[in-house]
Amino acid sequence: MKNLLITGGLGYIGSKFIENYSKSYNIYVLDTELYDNKNSEEFKLIKKDLRNIEKKDIENIDFVIHMAELSNDPLGELNPGLTNEINHFATKELLDLCHESSVSKFIYMSSCSVYGKNENLVDETSNLLPLTSYSKSKVANENYILNSNFDYEIIIFRNATVYGYAKNLRLDLVINELTYDAINNHEINLLSDGSPKRPFIHVSDLTNIIELALKSKKNLHQNIFNIGSNELNYSIKSVAENIKDLLEIKKINFGMKDEDQRSYLVDFSKIKNEFPEFNIKFELNTGIQDLI
């Protein structure tokens, strides 16, 4: 089996990937253990901050999935300097170390938030408008990858907003948060008027496309893929209404127009064309039911 390093592997997406694919790889996880370690028998832990990574940490590693960055736009704004230090400079160091190692494939987890605010349907060739420190660091890393001559395959995933159940569940992500709010408080509270638009992908579906890319024999070096489904582009209001109906909640409380101006609908045709066998298993309502 291939030796796979998952940086930030104890987080939301990493914990689900390990749950689904621990028997397919010899998994190593580089993580600060900020979150509870619920899968310790399924991987070898390198307890370390990404900023302290060394060449010895990636000896004999074949594949890398890089998730160890501060994980969303609001968090990144708390300390933009620290966000840049972790999300950009430490990522550059990791990429450079992999260049000196046995790594043959690297998946970089970027985000559809790089599109910022766009009234038109966007694809991988669209202009980027990063509005936050988090999304700006993603763009900086993408540019570093695209403008460097690394001797290993690097694939960029611009992920839709993730949702669904995993062992280390995040409740700051919009569908997860609203579903929890509905169950816990018997009502749904939106900070915004619900008009912003987002693409979504269930965490299990995301792990499945990661696995397809890892197994692929194609050379996808420096390819960028939006990761999601055209059928999962929704306004926040539509998401809230679906949760309301499924849980028979009587009320949605709408806020004012949010300071968060991110709004974008995304075309996911490229990933579907490259991997026609990739099928979304969780539509919006089945994903919400999974959470419930």
Side-chain angles (χ1 to χ4, degrees):
M1 291 194 296
K2 296 290 187 181
N3 294 330
L4 170 66
L5 173 66
I6 309 176
T7 68
L10 298 185
Y12 176 51
I13 301 168
S15 64
K16 178 58 77 172
F17 185 91
I18 292 168
E19 179 186 341
N20 290 347
Y21 295 108
S22 62
K23 292 180 172 60
S24 301
Y25 302 93
N26 297 318
I27 296 181
Y28 297 78
V29 169
L30 188 142
D31 199 289
T32 60
E33 236 178 346
L34 177 66
Y35 304 106
D36 288 342
N37 183 344
K38 297 183 172 71
N39 306 77
S40 57
E41 73 284 353
E42 299 175 337
F43 58 84
K44 296 177 182 177
L45 177 66
I46 305 167
K47 187 175 180 180
K48 182 176 285 193
D49 190 297
L50 179 67
R51 291 169 290 178
N52 300 322
I53 194 167
E54 302 171 84
K55 190 174 181 180
K56 67 179 183 179
D57 298 321
I58 53 175
E59 287 179 348
N60 302 316
I61 294 296
D62 300 298
F63 300 156
V64 175
I65 309 170
H66 180 40
M67 304 184 186
E69 295 180 354
L70 298 179
S71 58
N72 61 45
D73 294 272
L75 178 63
E77 291 306 296
L78 294 176
N79 188 332
L82 181 63
T83 301
N84 198 44
E85 181 183 327
I86 295 172
N87 287 22
H88 181 48
F89 289 109
T91 294
K92 283 178 61 180
E93 179 66 18
L94 172 63
L95 289 162
D96 292 343
L97 286 174
C98 289
H99 184 63
E100 304 168 12
S101 74
S102 59
V103 170
S104 61
K105 185 173 292 192
F106 188 111
I107 295 180
Y108 177 62
M109 304 290 270
S110 187
S111 168
C112 283
S113 68
V114 298
Y115 296 116
K117 183 177 177 63
N118 200 314
E119 298 299 327
N120 301 313
L121 185 70
V122 295
D123 63 19
E124 291 83 354
T125 65
S126 298
N127 291 331
L128 304 183
L129 185 63
L131 299 176
T132 63
S133 299
Y134 168 82
S135 56
K136 288 173 185 176
S137 70
K138 294 295 188 185
V139 173
N141 291 337
E142 288 188 13
N143 289 336
Y144 187 67
I145 291 167
L146 296 175
N147 294 318
S148 299
N149 294 315
F150 293 118
D151 60 358
Y152 58 96
E153 182 183 1
I154 310 178
I155 308 167
I156 297 170
F157 276 11
R158 288 180 183 160
N159 298 323
T161 300
V162 189
Y163 76 107
Y165 182 75
K167 290 183 179 179
N168 274 324
L169 182 63
R170 281 179 58 185
L171 292 178
D172 60 308
L173 296 166
V174 61
I175 294 180
N176 296 357
E177 180 181 6
L178 295 180
T179 303
Y180 178 82
D181 192 26
I183 292 171
N184 197 47
N185 300 317
H186 307 292
E187 63 180 20
I188 297 173
N189 297 290
L190 298 185
L191 295 175
S192 74
D193 60 3
S195 62
K197 299 177 178 65
R198 296 278 196 286
F200 297 96
I201 185 169
H202 193 277
V203 63
S204 283
D205 287 323
L206 176 53
T207 66
N208 293 344
I209 190 59
I210 292 171
E211 162 72 352
L212 286 175
L214 289 176
K215 291 193 305 184
S216 175
K217 302 300 182 184
K218 304 173 184 178
N219 185 350
L220 300 174
H221 183 51
Q222 295 179 325
N223 261 271
I224 299 172
F225 293 99
N226 293 328
I227 304 298
S229 166
N230 290 352
E231 289 71 41
L232 282 169
N233 281 305
Y234 284 93
S235 70
I236 305 302
K237 181 180 179 181
S238 295
V239 168
E241 288 172 341
N242 275 267
I243 295 169
K244 174 179 175 288
D245 293 342
L246 285 170
L247 283 166
E248 299 181 349
I249 300 297
K250 294 181 179 179
K251 188 177 183 183
I252 300 175
N253 298 314
F254 291 95
M256 304 297 289
K257 190 171 183 180
D258 200 344
E259 290 182 4
D260 184 353
Q261 291 297 299
R262 291 173 299 145
S263 182
Y264 40 87
L265 296 177
V266 179
D267 181 7
F268 297 98
S269 301
K270 183 178 177 181
I271 191 67
K272 186 63 178 175
N273 291 337
E274 193 67 53
F275 294 98
E277 67 274 33
F278 174 51
N279 293 308
I280 293 290
K281 294 182 179 178
F282 288 91
E283 301 299 338
L284 181 62
N285 284 358
T286 53
I288 294 169
Q289 288 285 14
D290 173 55
L291 271 171
I292 294 168

